[in-house]
């Protein structure tokens, strides 16, 4: 049995904690996952996983060898790239990003990258929470933050500006808004992962923080965008997501002289060591692509 595939299965089960989840992700049957794990245990002459009807966890031996197996897999991938005498990039890249940025901005650029490199595959993991790249087997993550995770290497690729928006219908049927203080009298749509319903606004040298009332909250930006389009209230939204709706009139900007805090779009990765050529090429491509404003 192929030891490289067995190692991949072992690492995936160790991450997911589930034979069934690994079978689904790697597109193989659950009995085949079991066979690969048994092959790994036979090869290393050690029991690697505790199995019960409720959960799967690493044994002490499994914990001891997991990082070495991950390193071996990375080295094997690097050797495969070096052996590619045609000089073409190849392999699968796992990329994590938020749903809103992935849908609106990342999909177009990776389609261009894939067209240039037909032997490369990209697996996109959409989530708004911060991911442990190593544990989740993510090669690179695209994250929007004021400062990147200090445990990761962050390369800034774009500026993320935000605006406060609402539908014309909501604004026509609500109290007028002329100052940041007026926001307290309105229904606001709250993003749970950002600022905890305190909106920080700047106008020239003036700064003001407003605690807003949010009857509807969500942990994902496109949900709040749709709520604003459905006349649900005021939403603080990134311009990369709402620019088209501002242009076609479905949304209007509120307090245009007052600017929410800017953030930065980063490409994050855990280490420069053993980085595969395809991953490095994608990072460079993303950086070049977003060097020109896309929204």
């Amino acid at each position: 049995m192929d030891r490289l595939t067995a190692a991949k299965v072992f690492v995936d089960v160790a991450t997911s904690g589930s034979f069934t989840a690994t079978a689904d992700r790697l597109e193989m049957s659950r009995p085949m996952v079991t066979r690969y794990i048994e092959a790994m245990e036979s090869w290393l002459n050690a029991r690697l996983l505790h199995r019960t009807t409720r959960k799967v966890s690493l044994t002490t031996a499994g914990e001891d060898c997991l990082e070495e197996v991950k390193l071996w897999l990375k080295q094997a991938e690097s050797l495969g790239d070096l052996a590619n005498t045609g000089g073409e990039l190849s392999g699968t890249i796992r990329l994590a990003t938020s749903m809103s940025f992935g849908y609106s901005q990342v999909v177009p650029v990776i389609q261009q990258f894939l067209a240039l490199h037909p032997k490369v595959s990209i697996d996109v993991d959409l989530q708004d929470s911060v991911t442990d790249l190593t544990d989740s087997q993510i090669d690179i993550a695209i994250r929007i933050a004021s400062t990147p995770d200090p445990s990761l290497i962050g390369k800034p690729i774009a500026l993320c500006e935000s605006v406060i928006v609402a539908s014309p219908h909501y604004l026509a049927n609500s109290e007028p808004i002329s100052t940041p203080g007026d926001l307290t009298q309105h229904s606001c749509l709250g993003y749970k992962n950002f600022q905890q319903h305190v909106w920080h606004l700047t106008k020239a040298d003036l700064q003001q923080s407003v605690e807003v009332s949010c009857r509807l909250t969500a942990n994902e930006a496109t949900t709040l965008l749709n709520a604003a389009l459905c006349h649900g209230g005021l939403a603080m939204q990134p311009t990369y997501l709402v620019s088209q709706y501002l242009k076609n009139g479905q949304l209007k900007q509120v307090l245009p002289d007052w600017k929410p805090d800017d953030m930065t779009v980063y490409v994050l990765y855990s280490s420069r060591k053993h980085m595969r050529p395809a991953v490095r090429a994608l990072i460079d491509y993303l950086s070049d692509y977003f060097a020109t404003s896309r929204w």
Side-chain angles (χ1 to χ4, degrees):
M1 184 168 282
D2 178 18
R3 288 183 174 181
L4 191 60
T5 302
K8 290 179 180 178
V9 171
F10 166 61
V11 170
D12 200 281
V13 172
T15 302
S16 68
S18 167
F19 279 48
T20 301
T22 292
D24 291 342
R25 182 152 50 201
L26 300 184
E27 299 181 340
M28 62 178 63
S29 67
R30 192 182 184 286
M32 184 59 71
V33 170
T34 301
R35 287 181 60 193
Y36 276 120
I37 294 299
E38 290 173 347
M40 276 291 292
E41 292 179 327
S42 176
W43 174 34
L44 298 176
N45 195 28
R47 186 173 179 83
L48 302 176
L49 298 168
H50 294 298
R51 307 140 161 100
T52 69
T53 56
R54 294 185 177 181
K55 67 176 184 178
V56 177
S57 59
L58 288 167
T59 64
T60 300
E63 291 177 350
D64 289 342
C65 72
L66 178 59
E67 292 306 315
E68 292 296 325
V69 173
K70 288 180 178 179
L71 179 59
W72 180 67
L73 284 172
K74 285 190 175 183
Q75 291 172 335
E77 289 175 339
S78 296
L79 286 171
D81 291 332
L82 290 173
N84 182 2
T85 56
E88 291 184 84
L89 299 178
S90 63
T92 298
I93 302 170
R94 294 204 69 208
L95 181 152
T97 189
S98 67
M99 183 175 293
S100 62
F101 198 76
Y103 173 78
S104 63
Q105 303 299 326
V106 174
V107 167
V109 62
I110 63 174
Q111 289 292 353
Q112 294 182 23
F113 184 81
L114 290 173
L116 292 172
H117 306 289
K119 292 187 178 181
V120 173
S121 300
I122 297 178
D123 178 22
V124 180
D125 190 324
L126 296 175
Q127 49 186 272
D128 281 304
S129 59
V130 176
T131 300
D132 187 313
L133 303 190
T134 302
D135 287 348
S136 301
Q137 302 174 59
I138 300 294
D139 294 301
I140 60 175
I142 300 176
R143 288 285 177 256
I144 299 171
S146 53
T147 55
D149 186 330
S151 67
L152 300 172
I153 300 170
K155 181 177 184 178
I157 60 171
L159 181 67
C160 178
E161 298 178 288
S162 296
V163 291
I164 300 173
V165 298
S167 70
H169 179 273
Y170 174 85
L171 293 173
N173 291 277
S174 303
E175 293 296 319
I177 305 170
S178 57
T179 69
D182 295 333
L183 298 175
T184 61
Q185 306 302 314
H186 285 261
S187 296
C188 294
L189 305 166
Y191 182 42
K192 291 196 294 185
N193 293 342
F194 181 63
Q195 294 189 349
Q196 299 183 350
H197 313 329
V198 177
W199 290 359
H200 303 286
L201 305 173
T202 302
K203 177 183 177 182
D205 295 330
L206 301 176
Q207 293 184 338
Q208 191 163 344
S209 297
V210 181
E211 186 171 356
V212 295
S213 175
C214 301
R215 295 182 60 203
L216 174 61
T217 60
N219 64 346
E220 197 279 309
T222 57
T223 300
L224 301 178
L225 168 62
N226 285 326
L229 290 168
C230 292
H231 325 305
L234 307 175
M236 184 182 291
Q237 288 280 304
T239 54
Y240 70 74
L241 199 55
V242 298
S243 58
Q244 61 178 311
Y245 301 102
L246 292 170
K247 290 176 182 177
N248 65 24
Q250 287 182 267
L251 293 174
K252 288 189 175 180
Q253 185 175 354
V254 175
L255 296 175
D257 293 335
W258 287 88
K259 182 179 176 62
D261 292 344
D262 290 338
M263 304 185 81
T264 302
V265 184
Y266 292 94
V267 173
L268 302 173
Y269 47 98
S270 57
S271 174
R272 293 186 179 91
K273 293 179 65 178
H274 308 297
M275 181 181 286
R276 291 178 291 131
V279 175
R280 189 180 303 279
L282 178 57
I283 292 172
D284 291 341
Y285 195 86
L286 289 167
S287 181
D288 291 342
Y289 179 88
F290 287 112
T292 301
S293 178
R294 297 288 169 173
W295 50 82

